Amino acid sequence: MKNLKHDDPQILQLILQEEERIERTIDLVSSETHTPKSILEEMGSVLNHKTIEGYPGKRYHAGCEFVDVIETLAIDRMKELFLAEHANVQPHTGSAANFAVYFSVLNVGDKILAMNLSHGGHLTHGHFASVTSKCFNFQHYNVDLTSELIDYHALAVQAKEVRPKMIVAGASSYPRLIDYERMSQIAKSVGAYLFVDMAHIAGLVAAKLIPSPVIYADFVSFTTFKTMTGGRGGVILCRKKYADEVDKAVFPGTQGTSAVSNIAGKATIAKLAKEANFINVQRNTLDNAKLLAAELAGKNYRLVGGGTDTHQVVVDVTTKGLSGSQAEKTLESIGIITNRNYIPKDTGKRASGLRLGTGPISVRGIESDYVIQIANIIDKALMEKDNQEVLRELKRNVLDICKQFPVYK
Ligand SMILES: *Cc1c(COP(=O)(O)O)cnc(C)c1O
């Protein structure tokens, strides 16, 4: 990065430090990944220059002959990968994708039924702090407080009362599978659209390891940087009959020009997703999550939802006398990166959960015995959080594992 060294050595220094941090820590953040170098190359390329208002063949600027091919490749590959009738690859993020889905077929003030944030939903599912809640009349469904799973019967009853125009399925923090067929029956029974937000699990769906919502949902959105392992961005899939509305809702509805560099990343990850390496990583992601869950349960940690079917393991750390924040900070101090999360029993400001995801460790090749070691390290750190000597030792153990599994060789 010799040019950056000249123009802004301070930022270069911080990038190098960030690289070092990534190599020296174990990333268990459920919404992160380590992106292939090829995609980082695309993101740092001249593709950043082009302003592309509109869609391939229908642009508002000249000079799009090459970027049109890139966007068309991204669209076609995403459609093929997910067996979707239409794809829009322009959303800047998952949130932007969600805004566009809402504005594609709904009017301001329409009713939407979505999952409560502390029960697993996302901010863009009508949380009061999100602008989505100011535009639409969101009502929320909860999980059953005992099983911490969606109660489809209760949801069907609630849908009949609320009569929403759209039902949102999909979550930020819900480690079990969602029954999309049941969701679509519920949506149909009240004449609502079904929108599935598969932000976290798109990679697992792409590898065909967990069920796909695409045939059941009118709209599907996802992020390309969680289990999907591509660069930052969002994608919308939908039925052909909504293609025009979705495209108009993205541009000019809610975005201006999109980032061609990120669209290229989406094209590349959709290509890589059909290859053996990607599918292996996703399989390891699932196996690692199951193993991590079993190890922690064996040490008497209470798992939200009773376990995992995905990359996520959500732990109620209060049963071990900690808050989510204390657990997050303790683990950060030894180089294990996680995040605190609300869980269904939370009603106040304090998060009782620690959300773990096995995407990034699986990308760097960590598996089996090493996952058991990580579970042991997590437990020991949390149980001895005030013992600096133990924490120092655990930090060395984390570093040893990191050195054996470099993120970028
Ligand atoms: C991560 C996530 C999003 C998108 O978030 P961005 O940070 O805007 O990309 C949307 N929905 C769910 C359920 C998510 O987990």
Side-chain angles (χ1 to χ4, degrees), residues 31 92-96 98 120-122 124-125 170-173 197-200 221 223 225-226 232-233 355:
S31 51
H92 301 314
T93 64
S95 295
N98 290 357
H122 188 253
T124 55
H125 299 177
S172 285
S173 187
D197 177 351
M198 61 168 186
H200 271 260
S221 74
T223 55
F225 60 88
K226 296 180 184 173
R232 199 153 291 274
R355 189 182 65 161

Side-chain angles (χ1 to χ4, degrees), residues 178-214:
I178 292 174
D179 184 342
Y180 303 120
E181 189 176 6
R182 192 78 202 277
M183 279 284 183
S184 92
Q185 288 163 355
I186 294 170
K188 281 204 181 85
S189 76
V190 296
Y193 297 106
L194 178 64
F195 167 28
V196 176
D197 177 351
M198 61 168 186
H200 271 260
I201 54 172
L204 301 167
V205 172
K208 305 194 167 46
L209 298 173
I210 64 171
S212 168
V214 172

